[in-house]
């Protein structure tokens, strides 16, 4: 019964996030065939819309592309590219270098594995400015697991003057015992629901 409920919820989600979701008739025809299972480290599995594309960049860097992604076949296809609607699922080696100057990640500061200022996630001509903590909580990731959740409000600024031109939010879910960190810079629709109904084996 629980499995059927989860499938129904995520099947409805799949209709919301796919481009073909404009019509109400599409909503009525949603089924489990609209979803797929994404198995991750430590026994974590997510039921995600079939339209989301999964790229295993390296052992501890998995990118889930949820929409337009012009960099998908480029050499810059990585955490610091711009314009690719996606979120990241990171493991131990990524967590170990997750803060500025490649220090180990903790929820006390945003994930930023670099020594310099990065490009804005939606415009490569802008830079990431100040990042401020906007939300802090514990969030459910499937039964029996709660993640440290952080939302960081980030400015996108001009490179020369530092003038704020826009903003984005970087959401993070961190499971220290399982050594899993999820990072979403696009406020991905439905991701919170996907994580809430995750399963563990």
């Amino acid at each position: 019964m629980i499995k059927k409920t989860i499938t129904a919820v995520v099947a409805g989600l799949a209709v919301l996030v796919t481009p073909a979701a404009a019509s109400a008739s599409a909503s009525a025809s949603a089924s489990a065939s609209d979803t797929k299972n994404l198995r991750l480290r430590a026994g974590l599995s997510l039921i995600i819309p079939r339209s989301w594309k999964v790229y295993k960049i390296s052992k501890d860097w998995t990118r889930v592309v949820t929409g337009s992604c012009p960099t998908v076949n480029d050499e810059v296809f990585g955490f610091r590219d711009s314009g690719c609607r996606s979120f990241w699922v990171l493991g131990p080696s990524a967590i170990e270098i997750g803060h500025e100057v490649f220090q180990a990640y903790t929820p006390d500061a945003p994930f930023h594995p670099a020594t310099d200022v990065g490009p804005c996630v939606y415009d490569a001509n802008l830079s990431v400015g100040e990042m401020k903590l906007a939300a802090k909580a514990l969030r459910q990731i499937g039964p029996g697991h709660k993640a440290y959740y952080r939302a960081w409000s980030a400015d996108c600024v001009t490179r020369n003057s530092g003038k704020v031109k826009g903003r984005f939010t970087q959401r993070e879910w961190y499971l220290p015992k399982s050594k899993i960190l999820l990072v979403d810079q696009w406020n991905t629709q439905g991701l919170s629901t996907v994580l809430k109904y995750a399963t563990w084996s």
Side-chain angles (χ1 to χ4, degrees):
M1 181 65 181
I2 292 174
K3 189 172 182 180
K4 285 184 179 180
T5 302
I6 292 171
T7 302
V9 168
V10 181
L13 165 65
V15 169
L16 291 174
V17 298
T18 54
S23 69
S25 60
S27 180
S29 64
S31 68
S33 64
D34 294 319
T35 64
K36 60 187 175 184
N37 193 43
L38 172 58
R39 298 181 66 85
L40 300 165
R41 60 168 282 104
L44 175 63
S45 292
L46 307 179
I47 300 172
I48 62 172
R50 190 165 293 281
S51 62
W52 291 4
K53 307 299 181 189
V54 180
Y55 298 87
K56 193 167 183 66
I57 309 302
S58 62
K59 180 184 175 186
D60 290 330
W61 295 77
T62 298
R63 190 173 203 175
V64 182
V65 174
T66 61
S68 173
C69 186
T71 61
V72 73
N73 293 315
D74 293 349
E75 60 183 32
V76 297
F77 182 62
F79 189 76
R80 289 164 58 91
D81 66 358
S82 296
C84 182
R85 292 184 173 273
S86 60
F87 64 90
W88 289 86
V89 185
L90 309 170
S93 64
I95 293 167
E96 286 175 7
I97 59 164
H99 280 324
E100 285 189 275
V101 299
F102 304 110
Q103 297 296 306
Y105 173 85
T106 71
D108 298 328
F111 182 79
H112 181 73
T115 58
D116 59 352
V117 175
C120 176
V121 297
Y122 62 82
D123 187 341
N125 295 313
L126 299 174
S127 297
V128 177
E130 187 176 9
M131 299 183 79
K132 295 180 180 178
L133 184 62
K136 175 180 177 179
L138 290 174
R139 294 282 174 87
Q140 198 73 33
I141 308 288
H145 291 75
K146 288 195 175 181
Y148 292 100
Y149 172 78
R150 302 290 185 267
W152 300 92
S153 178
D155 293 335
C156 285
V157 301
T158 56
R159 291 179 180 167
N160 294 331
S161 65
K163 185 177 180 180
V164 176
K165 290 291 187 177
R167 291 180 176 82
F168 69 94
T169 298
Q170 179 167 303
R171 300 187 299 168
E172 302 171 358
W173 293 261
Y174 178 47
L175 294 151
K177 289 185 179 178
S178 304
K179 296 184 179 178
I180 296 170
L181 173 64
L182 293 104
V183 179
D184 175 30
Q185 297 176 316
W186 289 93
N187 200 28
T188 301
Q189 183 178 9
L191 180 56
S192 294
T193 301
V194 166
L195 297 178
K196 181 179 178 181
Y197 289 102
T199 59
W200 296 86
S201 60

